[in-house]
Amino acid sequence: MKCTGSCECGAVTYVIEAEMPDVTICHCGQCLRTSGHAWASVSVPVDTVEIAGTENLKWFTSSDIARRGFCTECGSSLFFERIGKNRIAIGAGTLTQPTELKTGKHIFIADKGDYYDISCDAPQYDFYE
Ligand SMILES: [Zn+2]
């Protein structure tokens, strides 16, 4: 399955050739702050993603295990990469619509913002599942 996507301004684009999993919505504090809200993503092998415009991509090392990729022009939150794991999460909102994907789960719900409830049938976990 081939999917494409981009940041808001189009300076960073990508093509994914992979089996697309369900969307995971992460409610951890890092995702809340870096995206402005819960961050929805799909996790695929790094080597299935081809990124163009990497000169406009800034990687922020957000923890010992991961880094997050942002567009330097428009600030879109595009990627979350597990360092050394061949896994990269792609911001689901940056995928070209229609994605025909569905939400599979919510994670780190104990850290979620206090200003919203999760009104969704997908399972909720207090950890990475
Ligand atoms: Zn951009």
Side-chain angles (χ1 to χ4, degrees):
M1 191 175 171
K2 197 166 183 170
C3 294
T4 60
S6 76
C7 66
E8 170 63 12
C9 76
V12 181
T13 62
Y14 58 82
V15 178
I16 307 167
E17 279 196 271
E19 198 68 38
M20 295 296 278
D22 288 344
V23 173
T24 294
I25 302 182
C26 183
H27 300 264
C28 84
Q30 288 181 358
C31 280
L32 293 182
R33 289 186 293 274
T34 58
S35 76
H37 188 47
W39 194 61
S41 68
V42 287
S43 175
V44 295
V46 173
D47 55 17
T48 65
V49 184
E50 194 168 327
I51 301 171
T54 51
E55 68 276 16
N56 303 307
L57 185 62
K58 160 83 175 166
W59 288 101
F60 169 65
T61 303
S62 51
S63 73
D64 291 345
I65 60 159
R67 61 180 190 163
R68 293 166 186 265
F70 301 88
C71 174
T72 57
E73 291 300 311
C74 68
S76 296
S77 178
L78 291 154
F79 308 117
F80 173 92
E81 184 179 356
R82 291 290 301 276
I83 295 163
K85 292 279 189 193
N86 194 30
R87 295 304 294 186
I88 186 167
I90 313 290
T94 70
L95 290 164
T96 304
Q97 301 280 340
T99 68
E100 291 170 21
L101 300 175
K102 63 181 175 52
T103 297
K105 62 183 178 248
H106 296 264
I107 60 172
F108 294 110
I109 57 158
D111 299 335
K112 81 170 188 63
D114 62 3
Y115 57 89
Y116 65 94
D117 294 314
I118 302 170
S119 50
C120 173
D121 292 337
Q124 302 181 18
Y125 302 98
D126 193 17
F127 48 84
Y128 177 76
E129 168 61 46

